[in-house]
Amino acid sequence: MKNKLKLTLLAMVITLIFAGCGRSAQPNFYNGGYYMAGDDNCRRMSRLSDTRINCFNSDGKNMGYRERMTDQQLSMYRHNSNIRQQQSQQLNQSIQNMNNQMNYNNQQMMNRNNVYKVRPVGPYGY
């Protein structure tokens, strides 16, 4: 159980590190349809046809085109997004449970230390 939790926490840290490295594409409503855009290769877009956009990076360089997403692609994107969100919530709950257990254990240890404190004995034995 502890190894599984450690691996989960490690995976979360690695994910957070890589998430900061670049932006990922996500569905953007444009020209009557959804297109995967917003990543480094498609910061800006322009209409190429009814079902195709031109993508430009942040420097304005043409990076090619992308097709409109089908209903099935959009549905799967949303489904996978929901699954990732649920997994993130489960991980957050696991971390919260672990924090609660550690706080409880720390409090118990502090209580034990206070109970067993030895009082200094004065010169008269009390």
Side-chain angles (χ1 to χ4, degrees):
M1 178 66 179
K2 288 182 181 180
N3 288 337
K4 183 178 180 183
L5 185 59
K6 287 179 185 178
L7 288 174
T8 304
L9 289 173
L10 180 62
M12 184 180 81
V13 169
I14 290 171
T15 302
L16 289 174
I17 289 171
F18 285 115
C21 294
R23 297 181 182 171
S24 60
Q26 57 187 357
N28 287 272
F29 188 77
Y30 180 77
N31 196 35
Y34 286 92
Y35 297 87
M36 289 299 280
D39 58 335
D40 292 332
N41 290 328
C42 200
R43 287 272 175 247
R44 288 180 264 154
M45 53 190 146
S46 67
R47 181 175 183 247
L48 196 57
S49 73
D50 287 343
T51 61
R52 189 177 285 176
I53 59 168
N54 242 342
C55 285
F56 301 92
N57 65 11
S58 57
D59 297 329
K61 181 181 176 189
N62 188 341
M63 302 303 288
Y65 66 89
R66 295 193 180 169
E67 299 287 339
R68 178 187 288 178
M69 294 175 73
T70 64
D71 290 341
Q72 184 180 8
Q73 289 170 326
L74 187 58
S75 177
M76 282 306 299
Y77 178 86
R78 289 179 176 159
H79 174 73
N80 290 335
S81 215
N82 288 339
I83 289 174
R84 281 191 301 272
Q85 184 178 16
Q86 289 172 357
Q87 289 172 339
S88 176
Q89 289 172 348
Q90 289 171 351
L91 179 60
N92 289 340
Q93 186 62 46
S94 295
I95 291 171
Q96 183 64 42
N97 291 342
M98 185 175 69
N99 285 337
N100 290 341
Q101 185 64 44
M102 287 175 23
N103 288 337
Y104 175 79
N105 290 342
N106 287 339
Q107 188 63 49
Q108 293 301 311
M109 185 173 63
M110 289 171 66
N111 290 344
R112 282 191 298 273
N113 287 341
N114 289 334
V115 168
Y116 297 116
K117 272 190 177 168
V118 177
R119 292 187 187 151
V121 177
Y124 303 107
Y126 54 90

